[in-house]
Amino acid sequence: QLRRALMEGQLRVHYQPILGLSGTAGEVDSVEALVRWQHPTRGLVPPSEFVTIAEETGLIVPLGEWVLEEACRQVVAWEAQGIRLSVSVNVSGVQITQPDVVSRVAAVLDRTGVDPARVALEMTESVLMRDAEETLSVLRALKDLGVRLHVDDFGTGYSSLSYLKRFPVDAVKVDRSFVGGMAPGSFDTAVVAALVSLSHNLGLQCVAEGVETAEQLELLVQLGCDYAQGYLFCEPLAEEALGSWLDAHP
């Protein structure tokens, strides 16, 4: 069914806004591209129900490339409408280990004509550390294309700080499991504070995922976190609905 979905255009890309917390606070800086499956009988299926299958079967490679291309084309389309946004796209461990991953990304950038600086590739800590030396080589080649690199789910993996320092990444995203437990004086708040401080000391920007309450947002601002995304601001939306949301939330 998933193979047919790819062939028949049943997949959709939704976008969740990422807002600045300092400087131009409240401004939508970028969006994260998130895949959905418009199943003919089950309706809209979330990625949690099919990404693992895609990885196990290898379908994640064409699926991931399709999402990247759709997201890049959307950035170009928004630019034509006077909307300047960057986009971040998740890259799986299966994709990053493909011998032609760099040439695939380069081909998408070329086909869409997007400014590479407006594209961020997100990889989890666990993906980066599978074969750290080999991954480092791939990341450097991707960086040479002009794209940005983000570490997703930061704080949940087992990365070596020495490798994190060597990886040519631009930002880290604090995992929602820590953000969700934030409260004054809580353990999770202390963890987030440490992660924000660590990222800044390494010269990286810090993005908090899964922000759902005003209290969490206030604490993130106090800690100096750079960006935030979550249902407090907006759920992932289809392109048309996101355009309306942007118009209503300048």
Side-chain angles (χ1 to χ4, degrees), residues 29-197:
D29 175 81
S30 60
V31 294
E32 180 177 1
L34 299 161
V35 67
R36 302 288 188 265
W37 180 358
Q38 190 64 56
H39 195 280
T41 59
R42 297 180 58 194
L44 201 64
V45 179
S48 58
E49 295 190 29
F50 63 88
V51 166
T52 300
I53 297 170
E55 290 181 328
E56 292 173 350
T57 58
L59 288 172
I60 193 66
V61 175
L63 187 156
E65 186 172 345
W66 177 84
V67 172
L68 177 61
E69 183 152 346
E70 284 292 305
C72 289
R73 291 191 187 283
Q74 187 58 62
V75 168
V76 174
W78 278 326
E79 179 78 22
Q81 299 169 28
I83 303 172
R84 187 173 177 82
L85 289 175
S86 298
V87 68
S88 58
V89 181
N90 292 284
V91 178
S92 78
V94 177
Q95 288 174 272
I96 207 69
T97 56
Q98 297 298 305
D100 60 348
V101 60
V102 177
S103 61
R104 283 176 176 268
V105 172
V108 169
L109 298 176
D110 184 60
R111 285 196 299 269
T112 60
V114 71
D115 178 358
R118 306 273 293 282
V119 179
L121 304 180
E122 293 189 5
M123 290 151 277
T124 64
E125 282 183 277
S126 56
V127 165
L128 295 178
M129 295 304 298
R130 285 183 182 178
D131 186 342
E133 286 295 344
E134 181 64 28
T135 301
L136 179 58
S137 175
V138 172
L139 293 183
R140 285 172 174 164
L142 289 171
K143 190 70 175 172
D144 287 342
L145 297 178
V147 300
R148 293 169 57 82
L149 302 175
H150 294 179
V151 181
D152 198 12
D153 300 340
F154 190 57
T156 63
Y158 47 88
S159 67
S160 162
L161 292 182
S162 62
Y163 273 112
L164 182 60
K165 182 179 179 180
R166 292 173 61 194
F167 287 146
V169 298
D170 301 282
V172 295
K173 301 188 75 173
V174 178
D175 187 69
R176 66 184 63 248
S177 62
F178 297 120
V179 176
M182 290 184 72
S186 72
F187 172 82
D188 285 327
T189 299
V191 170
V192 174
L195 295 178
V196 171
S197 177

Side-chain angles (χ1 to χ4, degrees), residues 206-218:
C206 190
V207 185
E209 295 184 291
V211 181
E212 297 185 353
T213 69
E215 182 180 52
Q216 293 165 2
L217 175 61
E218 183 178 355

